[in-house]
Amino acid sequence: MPEGNDIVRTELVAREPLFHRPEWGTGRADLEAMTAPDYWEVGASGRTYDREFVIGVLLERYARDEPDPWSADGFACRALGPGTYLVTYTLTQGERVTRRATVWERTSGGWRALYHQGTVVAP
């Protein structure tokens, strides 16, 4: 990875795993700020979800305030175009292991996610 991407990589790794970092906020305005208006994702099930659905599920999860133990490793960051980056990594949540990918864009207001996908790792 080119040296100029080291700062970008550090900034984006600090934001992942997406939606598991309460320090970036857990309210509707926080979630809207961290996602593009046309944000969408593909879940481990293969189903697609739009921004509004994802935000609704997250607000319910955050309201329950349950423990969310996780670990992430194997981070990679690749420039896709001007101000747009792909971050990939492996997320472990108990016995569940998924490979994750998020497409991020830098805006005048900061970083926001355009797309996210999680795929369960086959045993």
Side-chain angles (χ1 to χ4, degrees), residues 16-49:
E16 296 284 3
L18 182 62
F19 307 132
H20 292 269
R21 297 279 196 170
E23 62 268 31
W24 293 106
T26 58
R28 174 172 288 279
D30 303 312
L31 298 169
E32 288 176 350
M34 74 175 71
T35 55
D38 60 347
Y39 169 87
W40 65 290
E41 66 179 56
V42 176
S45 66
R47 290 188 182 103
T48 59
Y49 303 100

Side-chain angles (χ1 to χ4, degrees), residues 91-108:
L91 178 65
T92 302
Q93 297 168 286
E95 299 296 315
R96 185 173 191 243
V97 179
T98 52
R99 300 214 195 282
R100 302 289 178 116
T102 309
V103 177
W104 290 94
E105 74 173 340
R106 187 189 300 269
T107 70
S108 60

Side-chain angles (χ1 to χ4, degrees), residues 27-104:
R28 174 172 288 279
D30 303 312
L31 298 169
E32 288 176 350
M34 74 175 71
T35 55
D38 60 347
Y39 169 87
W40 65 290
E41 66 179 56
V42 176
S45 66
R47 290 188 182 103
T48 59
Y49 303 100
D50 66 13
R51 179 187 194 210
E52 190 55 37
F53 179 86
V54 170
I55 289 174
V57 168
L58 291 168
L59 292 174
E60 288 176 15
R61 181 199 313 166
Y62 298 145
R64 288 192 303 267
D65 196 29
E66 296 172 348
D68 183 24
W70 56 266
S71 64
D73 61 12
F75 285 95
C77 180
R78 179 182 193 108
L80 299 177
T84 306
Y85 296 83
L86 170 65
V87 175
T88 58
Y89 57 97
T90 301
L91 178 65
T92 302
Q93 297 168 286
E95 299 296 315
R96 185 173 191 243
V97 179
T98 52
R99 300 214 195 282
R100 302 289 178 116
T102 309
V103 177
W104 290 94

Side-chain angles (χ1 to χ4, degrees), residues 103-123:
V103 177
W104 290 94
E105 74 173 340
R106 187 189 300 269
T107 70
S108 60
W111 290 106
R112 68 181 182 180
L114 300 172
Y115 172 81
H116 180 74
Q117 182 167 346
T119 304
V120 175
V121 175

